[in-house]
Amino acid sequence: MKLTAGGRRLAAAALVQSLGIGLFMASSMAYFTRQVDLSANQVASGLALAGVVALGISLLGGVLADRYGARRVLAAVYLGRGVCCAAYVFVTDFWQFMVVTLCAVACDRAGPPVLQALVAVAVPERQERTRLLAVVNVVRNCGLGVGAMAAGVALASDTQAAYRVTLFAIGLAFLGGAVLVLRVSEPAAPTAEAAAPKGAAERPVKGRLLPDARYLTLTGLNFLLFFFDTMLLVAMPVWILEHTDAPRATVSVLFALNTALVVVLQIPVSKLATGQRRTTRMLTWTGAVLAVSSLCFAASGSVGGGPAVAWLAAAVVTLSLAEVIANSAVWDLSIALAPEEQRGRYLSVFNLSVAGQRVLGPVMVTGLLLGSGSLGWVVAAAVLVVAGVAAERVARAAGERMRAGAPAHA
Protein backbone atom coordinates (compact mmCIF):
# COMPACT_ATOMS: atom_id res chain seq x y z
CA MET A 1 0.00 0.00 0.00
CA LYS A 2 1.10 3.57 -0.65
CA LEU A 3 1.55 5.59 2.55
CA THR A 4 1.19 9.31 3.03
CA ALA A 5 4.21 11.31 4.21
CA GLY A 6 2.83 11.20 7.76
CA GLY A 7 2.22 7.47 7.49
CA ARG A 8 5.78 6.85 6.30
CA ARG A 9 7.15 8.83 9.25
CA LEU A 10 5.02 6.92 11.73
CA ALA A 11 6.13 3.61 10.21
CA ALA A 12 9.76 4.75 10.32
CA ALA A 13 9.34 5.84 13.95
CA ALA A 14 7.87 2.43 14.80
CA LEU A 15 10.79 0.69 13.10
CA VAL A 16 13.42 2.79 14.87
CA GLN A 17 11.96 2.44 18.35
CA SER A 18 11.26 -1.29 17.86
CA LEU A 19 14.95 -1.77 17.07
CA GLY A 20 15.60 -0.26 20.49
CA ILE A 21 13.02 -2.50 22.16
CA GLY A 22 14.52 -5.58 20.52
CA LEU A 23 17.98 -4.60 21.75
CA PHE A 24 16.64 -4.05 25.26
CA MET A 25 14.59 -7.25 25.44
CA ALA A 26 17.52 -9.41 24.40
CA SER A 27 20.26 -7.78 26.51
CA SER A 28 18.61 -6.27 29.59
CA MET A 29 18.32 -9.42 31.72
CA ALA A 30 22.01 -10.19 31.24
CA TYR A 31 22.93 -6.59 32.09
CA PHE A 32 20.83 -6.45 35.25
CA THR A 33 21.95 -9.83 36.58
CA ARG A 34 25.63 -9.79 35.53
CA GLN A 35 26.55 -6.10 35.77
CA VAL A 36 24.10 -4.57 38.29
CA ASP A 37 24.12 -7.75 40.43
CA LEU A 38 20.34 -8.06 40.69
CA SER A 39 18.89 -11.56 40.96
CA ALA A 40 16.63 -12.91 38.24
CA ASN A 41 13.77 -12.96 40.78
CA GLN A 42 14.34 -9.29 41.61
CA VAL A 43 14.21 -8.34 37.94
CA ALA A 44 11.09 -10.44 37.29
CA SER A 45 9.24 -9.19 40.40
CA GLY A 46 10.23 -5.59 39.63
CA LEU A 47 8.89 -5.83 36.09
CA ALA A 48 5.66 -7.45 37.32
CA LEU A 49 5.05 -4.82 40.02
CA ALA A 50 5.84 -1.98 37.62
CA GLY A 51 3.41 -3.48 35.11
CA VAL A 52 0.57 -3.51 37.64
CA VAL A 53 1.20 0.06 38.86
CA ALA A 54 1.64 1.35 35.31
CA LEU A 55 -1.85 0.15 34.33
CA GLY A 56 -3.40 3.16 36.03
CA ILE A 57 -0.65 5.63 35.18
CA SER A 58 -0.88 4.80 31.47
CA LEU A 59 -4.41 6.24 31.35
CA LEU A 60 -2.86 9.69 31.65
CA GLY A 61 -1.49 9.32 28.14
CA GLY A 62 -4.94 9.40 26.60
CA VAL A 63 -6.09 12.31 28.77
CA LEU A 64 -3.01 14.32 27.82
CA ALA A 65 -3.42 13.42 24.13
CA ASP A 66 -6.96 14.83 24.15
CA ARG A 67 -5.75 18.01 25.79
CA TYR A 68 -2.37 18.70 24.18
CA GLY A 69 -2.45 16.64 20.99
CA ALA A 70 -1.43 13.05 20.32
CA ARG A 71 1.69 14.01 18.37
CA ARG A 72 3.36 15.87 21.24
CA VAL A 73 2.36 13.28 23.81
CA LEU A 74 3.61 10.35 21.69
CA ALA A 75 6.92 12.13 21.12
CA ALA A 76 7.18 12.73 24.87
CA VAL A 77 6.46 9.03 25.53
CA TYR A 78 9.22 7.95 23.15
CA LEU A 79 11.59 10.50 24.65
CA GLY A 80 10.70 9.30 28.16
CA ARG A 81 11.51 5.71 27.24
CA GLY A 82 14.83 6.81 25.79
CA VAL A 83 15.74 8.69 28.98
CA CYS A 84 14.81 5.64 31.06
CA CYS A 85 17.08 3.40 29.00
CA ALA A 86 19.98 5.81 29.45
CA ALA A 87 19.18 6.03 33.18
CA TYR A 88 19.66 2.28 33.57
CA VAL A 89 23.38 2.91 33.12
CA PHE A 90 23.42 4.62 36.52
CA VAL A 91 21.29 2.04 38.39
CA THR A 92 23.18 0.34 41.22
CA ASP A 93 20.50 -1.27 43.42
CA PHE A 94 16.99 -2.75 43.33
CA TRP A 95 15.09 0.38 44.37
CA GLN A 96 16.75 2.52 41.72
CA PHE A 97 15.89 -0.23 39.24
CA MET A 98 12.25 -0.10 40.41
CA VAL A 99 11.95 3.67 39.96
CA VAL A 100 13.39 3.65 36.44
CA THR A 101 11.43 0.55 35.46
CA LEU A 102 8.13 2.03 36.66
CA CYS A 103 8.70 5.12 34.51
CA ALA A 104 9.76 3.01 31.53
CA VAL A 105 6.79 0.63 31.75
CA ALA A 106 4.34 3.53 32.22
CA CYS A 107 5.65 5.10 29.00
CA ASP A 108 5.46 1.72 27.27
CA ARG A 109 1.82 1.19 28.27
CA ALA A 110 0.82 4.75 27.34
CA GLY A 111 2.32 4.59 23.86
CA PRO A 112 -0.01 2.30 21.81
CA PRO A 113 -3.32 4.16 22.40
CA VAL A 114 -1.66 7.53 21.82
CA LEU A 115 -0.21 6.18 18.56
CA GLN A 116 -3.71 5.08 17.52
CA ALA A 117 -5.09 8.51 18.40
CA LEU A 118 -2.41 10.17 16.24
CA VAL A 119 -3.12 7.81 13.33
CA ALA A 120 -6.83 8.60 13.66
CA VAL A 121 -6.30 12.35 13.18
CA ALA A 122 -3.42 12.10 10.70
CA VAL A 123 -5.25 9.58 8.46
CA PRO A 124 -8.97 10.48 8.36
CA GLU A 125 -9.99 7.66 5.98
CA ARG A 126 -11.06 4.68 8.09
CA GLN A 127 -9.69 1.83 5.97
CA GLU A 128 -6.37 3.55 5.33
CA ARG A 129 -5.65 4.11 9.02
CA THR A 130 -6.28 0.41 9.75
CA ARG A 131 -3.86 -0.53 7.00
CA LEU A 132 -1.31 1.97 8.33
CA LEU A 133 -1.53 0.37 11.76
CA ALA A 134 -1.00 -2.99 10.06
CA VAL A 135 2.15 -1.66 8.39
CA VAL A 136 3.32 -0.30 11.75
CA ASN A 137 2.77 -3.71 13.33
CA VAL A 138 4.73 -5.47 10.59
CA VAL A 139 7.73 -3.13 10.73
CA ARG A 140 7.64 -3.33 14.53
CA ASN A 141 7.93 -7.11 14.40
CA CYS A 142 10.80 -6.85 11.93
CA GLY A 143 12.54 -4.26 14.09
CA LEU A 144 12.20 -6.41 17.20
CA GLY A 145 13.85 -9.32 15.43
CA VAL A 146 16.73 -7.26 14.04
CA GLY A 147 17.26 -5.51 17.38
CA ALA A 148 17.33 -8.83 19.23
CA MET A 149 19.97 -10.16 16.85
CA ALA A 150 22.04 -6.97 17.18
CA ALA A 151 22.05 -7.43 20.95
CA GLY A 152 24.23 -10.48 20.37
CA VAL A 153 27.26 -8.15 20.16
CA ALA A 154 26.81 -7.02 23.77
CA LEU A 155 25.95 -10.52 24.94
CA ALA A 156 29.04 -11.98 23.28
CA SER A 157 31.44 -9.47 24.83
CA ASP A 158 29.57 -9.49 28.17
CA THR A 159 31.32 -6.36 29.45
CA GLN A 160 29.88 -3.39 31.28
CA ALA A 161 31.10 -1.04 28.54
CA ALA A 162 29.31 -3.04 25.82
CA TYR A 163 26.04 -3.08 27.77
CA ARG A 164 26.25 0.65 28.46
CA VAL A 165 26.88 1.44 24.81
CA THR A 166 23.85 -0.72 23.99
CA LEU A 167 21.65 1.15 26.48
CA PHE A 168 22.69 4.51 25.06
CA ALA A 169 22.03 3.18 21.54
CA ILE A 170 18.53 2.18 22.66
CA GLY A 171 18.00 5.68 24.07
CA LEU A 172 19.07 7.19 20.73
CA ALA A 173 16.63 4.89 18.90
CA PHE A 174 13.76 6.25 20.97
CA LEU A 175 14.99 9.81 20.45
CA GLY A 176 14.95 9.20 16.70
CA GLY A 177 11.40 7.89 16.97
CA ALA A 178 10.35 11.05 18.84
CA VAL A 179 11.87 13.30 16.17
CA LEU A 180 10.04 11.43 13.40
CA VAL A 181 6.73 11.65 15.27
CA LEU A 182 7.08 15.42 15.67
CA ARG A 183 7.27 15.71 11.87
CA VAL A 184 3.80 14.16 11.44
CA SER A 185 1.09 16.74 10.73
CA GLU A 186 -1.76 16.70 13.22
CA PRO A 187 -4.97 18.58 12.35
CA ALA A 188 -6.68 20.25 15.28
CA ALA A 189 -9.11 17.95 17.07
CA PRO A 190 -12.74 19.04 17.18
CA THR A 191 -14.18 20.40 20.39
CA ALA A 192 -16.92 18.53 22.19
CA GLU A 193 -19.54 20.98 20.93
CA ALA A 194 -18.38 20.80 17.33
CA ALA A 195 -18.16 17.00 17.33
CA ALA A 196 -21.54 16.39 18.91
CA PRO A 197 -24.38 15.54 16.52
CA LYS A 198 -27.42 17.80 16.25
CA GLY A 199 -29.78 17.32 19.11
CA ALA A 200 -27.02 16.04 21.37
CA ALA A 201 -25.75 19.35 22.65
CA GLU A 202 -26.70 18.44 26.19
CA ARG A 203 -24.66 15.28 26.15
CA PRO A 204 -22.17 15.46 29.04
CA VAL A 205 -19.19 14.14 27.08
CA LYS A 206 -16.61 16.51 28.43
CA GLY A 207 -17.21 15.66 32.06
CA ARG A 208 -17.36 11.86 31.72
CA LEU A 209 -14.40 10.09 33.30
CA LEU A 210 -15.03 6.67 31.74
CA PRO A 211 -16.22 5.57 28.28
CA ASP A 212 -19.86 4.55 27.79
CA ALA A 213 -21.14 1.14 28.90
CA ARG A 214 -20.93 -0.53 25.47
CA TYR A 215 -17.33 0.58 24.95
CA LEU A 216 -16.40 -0.70 28.40
CA THR A 217 -18.12 -4.02 27.67
CA LEU A 218 -16.21 -4.34 24.42
CA THR A 219 -13.01 -3.58 26.33
CA GLY A 220 -13.76 -6.43 28.74
CA LEU A 221 -14.50 -8.86 25.92
CA ASN A 222 -11.30 -7.84 24.15
CA PHE A 223 -9.45 -8.90 27.31
CA LEU A 224 -10.60 -12.45 26.49
CA LEU A 225 -9.99 -12.22 22.75
CA PHE A 226 -6.46 -10.92 23.31
CA PHE A 227 -5.74 -14.27 24.96
CA PHE A 228 -3.76 -15.18 21.84
CA ASP A 229 -0.84 -13.20 23.30
CA THR A 230 -0.72 -15.21 26.53
CA MET A 231 -1.36 -18.46 24.65
CA LEU A 232 1.74 -17.84 22.56
CA LEU A 233 4.13 -16.38 25.14
CA VAL A 234 3.20 -18.44 28.21
CA ALA A 235 0.87 -21.35 27.50
CA MET A 236 2.56 -22.65 24.36
CA PRO A 237 6.13 -23.11 25.73
CA VAL A 238 4.96 -24.50 29.09
CA TRP A 239 2.51 -26.89 27.39
CA ILE A 240 5.18 -28.17 24.98
CA LEU A 241 7.81 -28.67 27.68
CA GLU A 242 5.58 -30.20 30.36
CA HIS A 243 2.58 -31.80 28.63
CA THR A 244 3.79 -33.09 25.25
CA ASP A 245 6.52 -35.34 23.85
CA ALA A 246 7.55 -32.76 21.24
CA PRO A 247 11.27 -31.83 21.08
CA ARG A 248 12.27 -28.78 23.12
CA ALA A 249 13.47 -27.02 19.97
CA THR A 250 9.84 -26.96 18.83
CA VAL A 251 9.29 -23.92 21.07
CA SER A 252 11.73 -21.66 19.22
CA VAL A 253 10.62 -22.95 15.82
CA LEU A 254 6.97 -22.13 16.59
CA PHE A 255 7.88 -18.67 17.88
CA ALA A 256 9.64 -18.01 14.57
CA LEU A 257 6.64 -19.40 12.67
CA ASN A 258 4.29 -17.01 14.47
CA THR A 259 6.51 -14.01 13.73
CA ALA A 260 6.76 -14.92 10.04
CA LEU A 261 3.00 -15.45 9.69
CA VAL A 262 2.16 -12.14 11.36
CA VAL A 263 4.59 -10.29 9.07
CA VAL A 264 3.15 -11.96 5.97
CA LEU A 265 -0.56 -11.90 6.86
CA GLN A 266 -1.15 -8.70 8.84
CA ILE A 267 -1.40 -6.25 5.93
CA PRO A 268 -3.53 -8.47 3.63
CA VAL A 269 -5.93 -9.35 6.47
CA SER A 270 -6.25 -5.69 7.46
CA LYS A 271 -7.86 -5.08 4.05
CA LEU A 272 -10.82 -7.19 5.18
CA ALA A 273 -11.77 -4.56 7.76
CA THR A 274 -14.13 -2.71 5.43
CA GLY A 275 -17.43 -1.46 6.75
CA GLN A 276 -18.93 -1.74 10.21
CA ARG A 277 -20.76 -5.05 9.68
CA ARG A 278 -17.81 -6.88 8.16
CA THR A 279 -15.36 -5.54 10.75
CA THR A 280 -17.55 -6.52 13.70
CA ARG A 281 -17.96 -9.99 12.17
CA MET A 282 -14.19 -10.35 12.42
CA LEU A 283 -14.57 -10.46 16.21
CA THR A 284 -16.61 -13.66 15.89
CA TRP A 285 -13.98 -15.05 13.54
CA THR A 286 -11.32 -14.26 16.15
CA GLY A 287 -13.10 -16.23 18.85
CA ALA A 288 -13.78 -19.15 16.51
CA VAL A 289 -10.22 -19.38 15.18
CA LEU A 290 -8.77 -19.11 18.69
CA ALA A 291 -11.08 -21.94 19.73
CA VAL A 292 -9.70 -24.11 16.91
CA SER A 293 -6.19 -23.27 18.08
CA SER A 294 -7.08 -24.28 21.64
CA LEU A 295 -8.44 -27.63 20.46
CA CYS A 296 -5.26 -28.24 18.46
CA PHE A 297 -3.20 -27.62 21.59
CA ALA A 298 -5.43 -30.08 23.47
CA ALA A 299 -4.96 -32.73 20.77
CA SER A 300 -1.16 -32.37 20.89
CA GLY A 301 -1.12 -33.57 24.47
CA SER A 302 -2.63 -36.96 23.67
CA VAL A 303 -0.20 -38.05 20.94
CA GLY A 304 3.57 -38.26 20.66
CA GLY A 305 6.38 -37.64 18.20
CA GLY A 306 5.54 -36.27 14.77
CA PRO A 307 1.75 -36.06 15.30
CA ALA A 308 2.28 -33.92 18.41
CA VAL A 309 4.48 -31.51 16.44
CA ALA A 310 1.90 -31.39 13.65
CA TRP A 311 -0.91 -30.52 16.07
CA LEU A 312 1.27 -27.85 17.70
CA ALA A 313 2.12 -26.35 14.30
CA ALA A 314 -1.59 -26.26 13.43
CA ALA A 315 -2.28 -24.58 16.79
CA VAL A 316 0.27 -21.82 16.15
CA VAL A 317 -0.85 -21.29 12.54
CA THR A 318 -4.48 -20.78 13.64
CA LEU A 319 -3.39 -18.70 16.63
CA SER A 320 -1.38 -16.42 14.31
CA LEU A 321 -4.37 -16.08 12.00
CA ALA A 322 -6.56 -15.13 14.98
CA GLU A 323 -3.95 -12.57 16.03
CA VAL A 324 -3.95 -10.70 12.71
CA ILE A 325 -7.77 -10.84 12.47
CA ALA A 326 -8.17 -9.50 16.01
CA ASN A 327 -5.61 -6.74 15.46
CA SER A 328 -7.34 -5.53 12.29
CA ALA A 329 -10.79 -5.54 13.88
CA VAL A 330 -9.95 -3.84 17.17
CA TRP A 331 -7.70 -1.22 15.58
CA ASP A 332 -10.65 -0.14 13.46
CA LEU A 333 -13.43 -0.46 16.04
CA SER A 334 -11.62 1.01 19.05
CA ILE A 335 -11.08 4.22 17.05
CA ALA A 336 -14.41 4.30 15.20
CA LEU A 337 -16.50 3.80 18.35
CA ALA A 338 -14.71 6.53 20.33
CA PRO A 339 -15.98 10.14 20.18
CA GLU A 340 -13.40 12.33 18.47
CA GLU A 341 -13.14 14.84 21.31
CA GLN A 342 -12.31 12.06 23.83
CA ARG A 343 -10.56 9.62 21.55
CA GLY A 344 -7.30 9.49 23.51
CA ARG A 345 -9.07 8.73 26.79
CA TYR A 346 -11.27 6.04 25.21
CA LEU A 347 -8.31 4.36 23.52
CA SER A 348 -6.29 4.38 26.75
CA VAL A 349 -9.12 2.63 28.56
CA PHE A 350 -9.47 0.13 25.71
CA ASN A 351 -5.73 -0.56 25.90
CA LEU A 352 -6.21 -1.75 29.48
CA SER A 353 -7.67 -4.95 28.00
CA VAL A 354 -4.32 -5.59 26.31
CA ALA A 355 -2.13 -4.51 29.23
CA GLY A 356 -4.37 -6.36 31.68
CA GLN A 357 -4.08 -9.58 29.69
CA ARG A 358 -0.30 -9.32 29.87
CA VAL A 359 -0.46 -8.90 33.66
CA LEU A 360 -3.27 -11.33 34.53
CA GLY A 361 -3.01 -13.70 31.57
CA PRO A 362 0.01 -15.66 32.86
CA VAL A 363 -1.78 -16.21 36.19
CA MET A 364 -4.88 -17.49 34.38
CA VAL A 365 -2.81 -19.81 32.22
CA THR A 366 -0.72 -21.36 34.98
CA GLY A 367 -3.47 -21.45 37.59
CA LEU A 368 -6.49 -22.51 35.52
CA LEU A 369 -5.78 -23.62 31.97
CA LEU A 370 -2.60 -25.70 32.16
CA GLY A 371 -3.50 -27.16 35.54
CA SER A 372 -6.57 -28.80 33.99
CA GLY A 373 -4.69 -30.45 31.12
CA SER A 374 -6.52 -30.98 27.83
CA LEU A 375 -9.86 -30.20 29.48
CA GLY A 376 -8.62 -26.68 30.20
CA TRP A 377 -8.06 -26.09 26.48
CA VAL A 378 -11.56 -27.35 25.66
CA VAL A 379 -13.12 -25.00 28.23
CA ALA A 380 -11.01 -22.12 26.88
CA ALA A 381 -12.26 -22.87 23.35
CA ALA A 382 -15.88 -22.60 24.49
CA VAL A 383 -15.24 -19.33 26.36
CA LEU A 384 -13.47 -17.81 23.34
CA VAL A 385 -16.32 -18.67 20.97
CA VAL A 386 -18.84 -17.01 23.30
CA ALA A 387 -16.58 -13.97 23.76
CA GLY A 388 -16.23 -13.51 20.00
CA VAL A 389 -19.98 -13.66 19.34
CA ALA A 390 -20.72 -11.32 22.26
CA ALA A 391 -18.07 -8.84 21.13
CA GLU A 392 -19.57 -8.70 17.64
CA ARG A 393 -23.04 -7.96 19.00
CA VAL A 394 -21.81 -5.28 21.41
CA ALA A 395 -19.68 -3.57 18.75
CA ARG A 396 -22.53 -3.65 16.23
CA ALA A 397 -24.98 -2.15 18.74
CA ALA A 398 -22.48 0.58 19.66
CA GLY A 399 -21.94 1.42 15.99
CA GLU A 400 -25.68 1.64 15.32
CA ARG A 401 -26.14 3.98 18.27
CA MET A 402 -23.32 6.22 17.07
CA ARG A 403 -24.81 6.41 13.58
CA ALA A 404 -28.19 7.27 15.07
CA GLY A 405 -26.57 10.15 16.96
CA ALA A 406 -28.04 9.02 20.27
CA PRO A 407 -26.31 9.77 23.57
CA ALA A 408 -23.67 7.12 24.15
CA HIS A 409 -24.47 6.79 27.83
CA ALA A 410 -28.16 6.13 27.34
Side-chain angles (χ1 to χ4, degrees):
M1 62 175 289
K2 186 176 181 180
L3 299 179
T4 62
R8 289 193 296 272
R9 287 165 186 157
L10 284 174
L15 176 61
V16 170
Q17 60 100 20
S18 65
L19 288 170
I21 295 174
L23 275 168
F24 185 80
M25 289 173 60
S27 63
S28 58
M29 180 62 80
Y31 172 72
F32 294 135
T33 56
R34 298 179 65 84
Q35 303 298 327
V36 186
D37 291 329
L38 299 178
S39 69
N41 285 336
Q42 283 180 312
V43 176
S45 60
L47 289 170
L49 180 59
V52 173
V53 176
L55 284 177
I57 298 176
S58 64
L59 292 174
L60 291 175
V63 175
L64 293 174
D66 289 334
R67 184 168 183 176
Y68 299 108
R71 178 182 59 184
R72 283 186 285 182
V73 174
L74 185 61
V77 165
Y78 285 172
L79 180 61
R81 294 190 69 181
V83 170
C84 289
C85 286
Y88 277 126
V89 171
F90 306 102
V91 167
T92 58
D93 59 40
F94 176 73
W95 294 109
Q96 292 176 357
F97 166 77
M98 276 301 306
V99 171
V100 177
T101 299
L102 177 58
C103 295
V105 174
C107 289
D108 177 66
R109 298 290 187 270
V114 178
L115 171 62
Q116 280 186 271
L118 179 55
V119 169
V121 295
V123 184
E125 208 282 315
R126 183 170 174 174
Q127 289 179 242
E128 292 304 314
R129 67 193 181 203
T130 301
R131 293 176 190 174
L132 172 57
L133 287 168
V135 171
V136 166
N137 191 47
V138 169
V139 300
R140 182 186 291 124
N141 275 278
C142 294
L144 289 174
V146 173
M149 289 188 290
V153 176
L155 293 170
S157 61
D158 196 29
T159 63
Q160 190 174 70
Y163 286 118
R164 288 185 170 182
V165 168
T166 300
L167 287 170
F168 279 121
I170 296 168
L172 289 175
F174 282 113
L175 176 61
V179 171
L180 287 166
V181 165
L182 287 174
R183 297 187 63 198
V184 177
S185 61
E186 181 184 22
T191 62
E193 292 77 9
K198 292 182 179 180
E202 298 179 3
R203 181 172 128 193
V205 171
K206 212 170 184 181
R208 188 183 303 131
L209 296 177
L210 293 174
D212 60 86
R214 287 179 176 81
Y215 200 90
L216 287 175
T217 302
L218 186 61
T219 298
L221 291 168
N222 189 61
F223 172 85
L224 296 175
L225 295 179
F226 200 80
F227 192 59
F228 65 78
D229 192 63
T230 309
M231 285 173 65
L232 178 71
L233 298 178
V234 181
M236 187 265 287
V238 175
W239 180 258
I240 290 174
L241 297 176
E242 298 185 3
H243 298 269
T244 75
D245 294 328
R248 292 178 177 270
T250 305
V251 175
S252 58
V253 172
L254 293 181
F255 272 129
L257 175 62
N258 168 259
T259 300
L261 287 173
V262 171
V263 169
V264 171
L265 296 177
Q266 186 65 83
I267 294 175
V269 171
S270 71
K271 297 177 182 179
L272 299 177
T274 55
Q276 185 78 7
R277 179 173 293 274
R278 190 172 186 179
T279 305
T280 55
R281 180 58 57 85
M282 293 173 75
L283 297 173
T284 295
W285 297 349
T286 299
V289 178
L290 278 176
V292 172
S293 178
S294 298
L295 295 177
C296 289
F297 275 118
S300 69
S302 60
V303 295
V309 174
W311 279 115
L312 290 167
V316 171
V317 168
T318 49
L319 183 150
S320 304
L321 180 59
E323 178 179 350
V324 296
I325 294 173
N327 284 339
S328 300
V330 300
W331 287 334
D332 178 90
L333 294 170
S334 60
I335 294 174
L337 298 178
E340 292 182 40
E341 72 282 358
Q342 278 196 314
R343 186 177 279 148
R345 182 178 297 179
Y346 268 59
L347 290 171
S348 290
V349 170
F350 191 84
N351 192 61
L352 289 180
S353 61
V354 177
Q357 178 62 237
R358 288 171 176 162
V359 173
L360 300 177
V363 178
M364 295 168 61
V365 163
T366 56
L368 297 175
L369 192 154
L370 296 179
S372 302
S374 295
L375 178 61
W377 287 112
V378 174
V379 173
V383 171
L384 291 166
V385 168
V386 173
V389 173
E392 178 186 350
R393 292 185 178 182
V394 171
R396 186 167 296 175
E400 290 172 353
R401 184 169 291 273
M402 285 194 73
R403 286 196 297 272
H409 66 286

